[in-house]
Amino acid sequence: TALSVRSQRDRTNLREVTRMLELTHDTVIVWDERGAIQYWNDGAERLYGWRRDEAVGRDCDELLRTEAPVAEIDAALGQNLQWSGELTRARRDGTRLVLASRRLARLDIDGAPVGVIETSHDVTERHQMRARLEQAAADLAHAARVSILGQLTASIAHEVNQPLAAIANYGQSGLRWLRR
């Protein structure tokens, strides 16, 4: 009886955790050691455009055309059992996304790796804003250099015109003096 009650409590807890995973806006994907998707939450459906029944069983990186530092991820999962960083993926329509992602190694009862749990958040807009800010900073720096060049040109023109004007004045004075 105690085992049955404990089992029922565990199933209830598991259902609650699953409901929480469904409610999150971030993507939650679980895949096995071969990369086949085992779990795909509503956030993943909304972001990537693939329904759960279309995604489950497919290779995650192949489906989403993932670009990621694979060696770094594998090393971190092997050493720390987790990894955090950015990766690039594609939506169903081909739109590229930049994601802040976290991965956690799934282990069996003996501690052997059996897959990965991943949660990701779309930071594409942040990257686009950063790129626009960097471009604006570069444009501003270019404008400052052009402005400095204009000031330098004006300064050189002034420095050259002053002695030339003095020479012309002295020459005209000398001519007037000679005419008299």
Side-chain angles (χ1 to χ4, degrees), residues 43-164:
E45 282 188 1
R46 281 189 302 275
L47 184 63
Y48 298 123
W50 296 94
R51 290 189 327 268
R52 180 173 301 159
D53 62 326
E54 295 173 314
V56 171
R58 299 207 30 205
D59 182 276
C60 185
D61 288 338
E62 189 178 294
L63 176 68
L64 301 173
R65 295 176 290 207
T66 304
E67 293 175 14
V70 177
E72 174 190 327
I73 293 171
D74 289 345
L77 287 175
Q79 288 179 329
N80 307 323
L81 303 176
Q82 63 183 0
W83 172 82
S84 295
E86 288 187 352
L87 48 87
T88 304
R89 287 193 166 146
R91 286 186 169 139
R92 184 178 194 145
D93 66 7
T95 306
R96 299 301 292 173
L97 301 168
V98 179
L99 303 161
S101 184
R102 300 185 77 125
R103 291 184 180 181
L104 178 65
R106 292 177 53 217
L107 306 175
D108 67 10
I109 202 161
D110 297 322
V114 293
V116 172
I117 300 169
E118 176 191 284
T119 179
S120 297
H121 180 73
D122 185 8
V123 293
T124 305
E125 188 174 328
R126 185 183 329 163
H127 272 260
Q128 291 169 345
M129 290 298 291
R130 185 183 309 148
R132 284 196 290 269
L133 282 173
E134 288 171 358
Q135 183 61 46
D139 292 346
L140 186 59
H142 177 70
R145 288 191 300 272
V146 168
S147 175
I148 289 171
L149 183 60
Q151 291 173 0
L152 181 61
T153 302
S155 176
I156 290 171
H158 176 74
E159 293 300 323
V160 170
N161 282 336
Q162 283 294 91
L164 290 177

Side-chain angles (χ1 to χ4, degrees), residues 27-41:
T27 66
V28 178
I29 304 171
V30 178
W31 66 86
D32 64 17
E33 66 277 357
R34 295 179 334 271
I37 298 169
Q38 303 296 305
Y39 176 78
W40 181 268
N41 78 335

